[in-house]
DNA sequence: TGCGCGATTGTAATCGTTGACATTGACTGA
DNA sequence: TCAGTCAATGTCAACGATTACAATCGCGCA
């Protein structure tokens, strides 16, 4: 049959069918006002009948015009935080008639440049980069050929590009400070890839609070490099079985937060706990968490991209969104040794329902 | 500065720099063996020095070759099930040197055709469609121009395309059957969008089991159209407050599964419960679930796409992957009225934490 | 010495779309 | 009536990469 033909209808076909030149077809589509109404009708009829749509590659080739597509590079499709960022960017771009396409590095820093290159080569109107890989040289202007680049949640590192950041360090500092004020002295901090900017940013908040309270950092309470669920589970189990287990736990990314939460439920622990980022259940279960509104993060990234598309000469900007500590109880628990004083803000009354912005799907 | 130039390096530039013709540059890149070693060196050096990479649009324009990019249309980036499908497709495609790009309809069926069109126009090598929208006419061959299309988790509807399906109906039948055998007679079924194929497929399994056991279906126990978390929460609350509440609950998609799970934990319910699809916590909490291995689903879709790319004339195929009922305890609970008999089966080693339900922080 | 062959490389047409420029024809006002 | 104007449409080169075909070169062999 003809299903495999991939034989496309071109302007020439339409022009012949309508008895006009290709220029008139193009004009009818691009600038209808300059074409006589009768001709316009004839052309449109042919377009409809043949099912013509312009080949965007040829169009792009001729006039290096914006493609109407914005690319986003994520660390992984199943990274739900980054998925919400993508959703936020998508919504804002769509409001402006642009389409978002996303690609995943699958947490492999080596694939960032490849994916960025693919998107730049396909002439995305802008490129949003979320992974937290090390090397960023491939985003230097000589490689991006003027494609606007927005970095999400990681710094520019001398690059002349727009950036959207969050104040994770301040929020972790605030959470740590609160735990220290409650009397905690052994506060574990669990983080992801040791070489990532984000882990460093968050740990710096932890250390700042410790320093302010003149509490020396204990090396053995800082665990980094946790990525796989088994590692996370092993780490938390080992921590809690020590002779001197931590009295409070800071989980410094979403995966770790989920792992610690599962451990709390399964093993019925009541250690003080502050999560970073939320999952389906954390709000409903009274987990104090540092939240970052990923949807807004993505939206802002899209806004920056749109502005740079409009005015490529504008000075790159850095937008900072607040990371907020939401107190729901688990982060307000005192250490076991402390007298049973009033728990500030804690308690079952603060158990919220999860009514987040999400829509359930299948 | 020159950062906004978007002035790309072309074959011509490379050719001039290397002192050869554009044809030789192309040959060096496409078919190095026919170029003299010395010339090849000179060209490669120029390519490196200028940072040249071929414009895929121009390449595509000339020779309608496969683009090396496969498009995937999802209902939403934050749909974690579909994200895992994407991850599976990504892995398989990558093994074969192809790149996956995904776009989201944000659960708006009207955007399926738009997105499909964008991807087809950009000459993706294949198109994977996941949303469960109604209309599918836009995938007729006259609109896809031979782009291989694979439907994931929804039927072909007379279309001549590859399909990957799961046996949700059979698994739901099996789960319902088991609950009925345990003595349950009031089994609630909660489903998503009423007009979706998937909800219908799953409910048909529920009804088949009821019919086999000669248990009449109770309209008031079947709730459809649940999409937002609030709706899900309201529905489960209302159900359980009835004079005759259900003794068992079937959640027929992931969002609903999460909602019911949260309700169980918060309200310490111990009603029999079978979820469809899993979230972070369901395995650890002993929730019986119908699982579909989304990663494998995506991988199979990619395999079909790859085969059709290789041989566009092959007859479209339908691959069916099993939906499995994993027994972890919550689905093996008897109704309250039943005597405390042994729980049949219980999944032998598969019962991880049947007692994990209803735990709290005190 | 001269012909022919194979190994390299160059030339130019092509893909589909666009837009600057040229052309056509009708109509206006002097 | 005729130059001038304007609206409508046609012509053709260009975008960048590719490739069929042509051209060139060196060398062996008659």
């Amino acid at each position: 049959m003809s299903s495999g033909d991939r034989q496309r209808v071109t302007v020439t076909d339409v022009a012949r069918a309508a008895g006009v030149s290709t220029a008139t077809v193009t004009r009818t589509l691009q600038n209808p006002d300059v074409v006589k109404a009768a001709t316009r009708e004839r052309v449109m009829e042919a377009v409809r009948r043949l099912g013509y749509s312009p080949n965007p590659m040829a169009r792009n080739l001729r006039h290096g015009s914006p493609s109407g597509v914005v690319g986003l590079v994520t660390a992984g499709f199943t990274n739900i935080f980054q998925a919400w960022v993508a959703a936020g960017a998508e919504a804002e771009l769509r409001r402006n008639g642009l389409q978002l396409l996303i690609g995943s590095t699958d947490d492999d820093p080596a694939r960032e440049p490849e994916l960025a290159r693919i998107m730049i080569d396909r002439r995305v109107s802008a490129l949003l980069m979320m992974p937290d890989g090390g090397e960023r040289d491939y985003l230097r202007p000589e490689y991006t050929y003027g494609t606007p680049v927005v970095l999400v949640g990681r710094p520019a590192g001398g690059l002349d590009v727009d950036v959207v950041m969050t104040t994770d360090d301040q929020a972790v500092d605030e959470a740590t400070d609160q735990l220290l004020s409650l009397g905690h002295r052994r506060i574990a901090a669990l983080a992801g890839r040791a070489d990532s900017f984000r882990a460093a940013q968050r740990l710096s908040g932890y250390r700042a609070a410790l320093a302010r309270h003149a509490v020396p950092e204990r090396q053995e309470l800082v665990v980094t490099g946790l990525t796989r669920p088994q590692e996370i589970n092993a780490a938390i189990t080992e921590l809690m079985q020590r002779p001197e287990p931590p009295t409070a736990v800071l989980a410094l990314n979403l995966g770790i937060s989920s792992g610690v939460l599962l451990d709390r439920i399964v093993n019925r622990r009541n250690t003080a706990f502050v999560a970073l980022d939320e999952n389906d259940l954390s709000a409903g279960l009274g987990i104090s968490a540092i939240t970052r509104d990923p949807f807004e993060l993505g939206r802002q990234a899209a806004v920056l991209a749109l502005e740079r598309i409009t005015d490529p000469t504008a000075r790159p900007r850095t937008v900072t969104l607040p990371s907020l500590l939401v107190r729901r109880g688990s982060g307000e628990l005192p250490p076991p040794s402390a007298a049973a004083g009033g728990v500030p803000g804690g308690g079952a009354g603060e158990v919220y329902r999860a009514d987040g912005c999400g829509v359930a799907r299948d």
Side-chain angles (χ1 to χ4, degrees), chain A residues 67-149:
Chain A
S67 58
V69 172
V70 169
L72 180 149
V73 177
T74 176
F77 298 128
T78 60
N79 180 322
I80 192 65
F81 181 84
Q82 296 196 10
W84 276 107
V85 176
E90 217 266 327
E92 180 67 19
L93 291 170
R94 177 139 187 95
R95 280 205 325 123
N96 289 272
L98 301 190
Q99 177 66 45
L100 183 71
L101 288 186
I102 86 179
S104 158
T105 64
D106 202 20
D107 265 325
D108 177 359
R111 286 172 57 187
E112 284 181 45
E114 292 176 31
L115 211 37
R117 166 46 52 99
I118 284 178
M119 293 188 162
I120 290 169
D121 281 350
R122 303 197 152 249
R123 301 294 191 282
V124 291
S125 298
L127 180 58
L128 315 182
M129 299 288 307
M130 293 209 290
D132 189 9
E135 188 59 58
R136 251 165 266 114
D137 269 359
Y138 62 91
L139 291 176
R140 287 211 314 264
E142 54 265 46
Y143 299 124
T144 58
Y145 303 106
T147 308
V149 172

Side-chain angles (χ1 to χ4, degrees), chain A residues 43-264:
Chain A
V43 172
M44 290 310 288
E45 205 281 324
V47 166
R48 273 190 298 272
R49 187 157 50 81
L50 300 179
Y52 168 77
S53 86
N55 181 333
M57 275 143 177
R59 186 212 303 272
N60 227 307
L61 181 57
R62 174 66 216 277
H63 190 60
S65 62
S67 58
V69 172
V70 169
L72 180 149
V73 177
T74 176
F77 298 128
T78 60
N79 180 322
I80 192 65
F81 181 84
Q82 296 196 10
W84 276 107
V85 176
E90 217 266 327
E92 180 67 19
L93 291 170
R94 177 139 187 95
R95 280 205 325 123
N96 289 272
L98 301 190
Q99 177 66 45
L100 183 71
L101 288 186
I102 86 179
S104 158
T105 64
D106 202 20
D107 265 325
D108 177 359
R111 286 172 57 187
E112 284 181 45
E114 292 176 31
L115 211 37
R117 166 46 52 99
I118 284 178
M119 293 188 162
I120 290 169
D121 281 350
R122 303 197 152 249
R123 301 294 191 282
V124 291
S125 298
L127 180 58
L128 315 182
M129 299 288 307
M130 293 209 290
D132 189 9
E135 188 59 58
R136 251 165 266 114
D137 269 359
Y138 62 91
L139 291 176
R140 287 211 314 264
E142 54 265 46
Y143 299 124
T144 58
Y145 303 106
T147 308
V149 172
V150 180
L151 301 182
V152 182
R154 62 183 218 174
L159 284 172
D160 208 29
V161 298
D162 292 291
V163 183
V164 187
M165 290 292 294
T166 53
T167 58
D168 295 7
D169 41 2
Q170 292 174 31
V172 173
D173 184 332
E174 183 181 353
T176 310
D177 187 278
Q178 168 170 302
L179 291 168
L180 288 165
S181 300
L182 286 167
H184 292 276
R185 286 299 172 271
R186 293 195 305 278
I187 305 171
L190 310 185
R193 276 224 327 270
D195 61 340
S196 79
F197 167 80
R198 284 165 196 155
Q201 181 193 27
R202 291 161 193 175
L203 284 171
S204 82
Y206 170 74
R207 294 189 172 119
L210 285 181
R212 209 167 45 252
H213 284 254
V215 173
E217 174 184 341
R218 297 199 188 193
Q219 291 278 347
E220 72 274 18
L221 290 179
V222 178
V223 186
T224 61
L226 302 176
T227 53
R228 303 164 58 93
Q230 300 94 307
E231 295 167 4
I232 296 167
N233 184 45
I236 186 77
T237 303
E238 190 275 326
L239 265 179
M240 302 311 282
Q241 284 175 347
R242 291 182 186 173
E244 280 199 338
T247 63
V249 175
L250 282 172
L252 296 184
N253 73 31
L254 179 52
I256 295 172
S257 295
S258 288
V260 174
L261 177 54
L262 178 58
D263 173 78
R264 281 173 74 79

